[in-house]
Structures are given as structure tokens and as C-alpha cells.
Amino acid sequence: MCKTYSIGEVAETLDLTVHTLRYYDKEGLMPFVERSPSGQRLFKDSDIEALRIIQCLKLTGMPLKEIKGFIQWCQEGDSSLTQRYEMFLERKAKVEAQMEELKKTMEIIDHKCHYYMTAVEAGTEEIHKS
């Protein structure tokens, strides 16, 4: 028999709140999660992995509505493989662009760290004005 986890255990594992998981369920992002006869959610390892993908997509800035579409594609099976592949290519491009922007931001921050470190060591910003 497959091990199952409570919503609290899953929340702790994924560093989410129980409220967030219930919200995801209400929004239709977890149609794969089974329930006990009393209505308690019973999460399997595969459900936790699916939730990790949802977290990943959220971190890329994907709206929940689009994530829900992805979940629906997954449930359709092989007929949606191309759509899912193209979606991940699009997400990859978006993350690469975000990384480039963050790299530029880090260069500015590094410069300012050096600027202030040398000013602190000299006791004045005047060191940069000569």
C-alpha cells in the first residue's frame, strides 16, 4: 500500500501553509489528491512532486489560472505533451530573462558594496570624488 501524508505534513515538507494548500485545492490545482471517506486529503509522493512543479511555476511568475491549465493538460495525458513542452520552453526563456536582469542588478549592488566599503575604510565618500 502507498504511504499517504496529511495536509500538515505536506505543508511542512514544501514550506507552505495549510491555508495555501487548501486554496490550491479550491482553485482546482490539486484534482489528483485523493480523499478519505471522511473527506480528509490523502497526499501521495507523486502529489508532493506535482506540488513542487506548481511551486516552481509560481516562482516563474506564472498565474494560477495558467498553472491550472497545465494541471489539466497533465490529466489529459499524452495528447497534451506538445503543449506542456512548449509551455516549459516559454517558462525557461522567461526565467533566463529574469536571471539576466538579476545579474545586472547584482553588478550594481556589487559596485555599491565596493563603493561603500572603500568609503567606510577611508572614513569619507570624498575618496570617490577625486
Side-chain angles (χ1 to χ4, degrees):
M1 190 161 139
C2 180
K3 177 168 174 41
T4 60
Y5 306 90
S6 70
I7 195 168
E9 291 170 320
V10 173
E12 187 175 328
T13 298
L14 297 175
D15 197 25
L16 294 170
T17 64
V18 169
H19 174 77
T20 298
L21 288 170
R22 287 187 179 126
Y23 178 74
Y24 286 178
D25 195 19
K26 186 178 126 255
E27 291 297 311
L29 297 178
M30 302 185 328
F32 43 80
V33 175
E34 295 176 15
R35 291 188 180 251
S36 70
S38 65
Q40 183 181 16
R41 293 169 189 87
L42 303 171
F43 293 86
K44 302 180 301 278
D45 288 325
S46 60
D47 300 334
I48 293 171
E49 287 311 306
L51 285 163
R52 287 187 202 282
I53 299 297
I54 290 169
Q55 278 185 299
C56 171
L57 293 172
K58 269 190 56 66
L59 285 172
T60 70
M62 180 181 263
L64 290 182
K65 182 179 178 182
E66 290 180 33
I67 295 173
K68 184 177 178 180
F70 167 72
I71 299 298
Q72 290 169 340
W73 284 341
C74 291
Q75 294 198 296
E76 290 172 12
D78 291 347
S79 65
S80 66
L81 282 173
T82 301
Q83 290 102 316
R84 288 183 272 161
Y85 173 63
E86 289 171 354
M87 184 210 73
F88 272 98
L89 286 177
E90 190 179 296
R91 289 287 104 193
K92 182 180 180 199
K94 184 173 180 85
V95 169
E96 287 171 341
Q98 289 171 333
M99 289 171 64
E100 275 304 308
E101 284 300 312
L102 285 171
K103 184 178 172 190
K104 291 174 188 171
T105 301
M106 185 58 82
E107 288 171 2
I108 293 168
I109 290 171
D110 283 343
H111 170 74
K112 291 312 257 182
C113 284
H114 177 74
Y115 174 95
Y116 286 111
M117 178 190 70
T118 55
V120 166
E121 288 172 353
T124 179
E125 282 186 82
E126 292 298 318
I127 190 168
H128 296 293
K129 296 181 180 170
S130 55

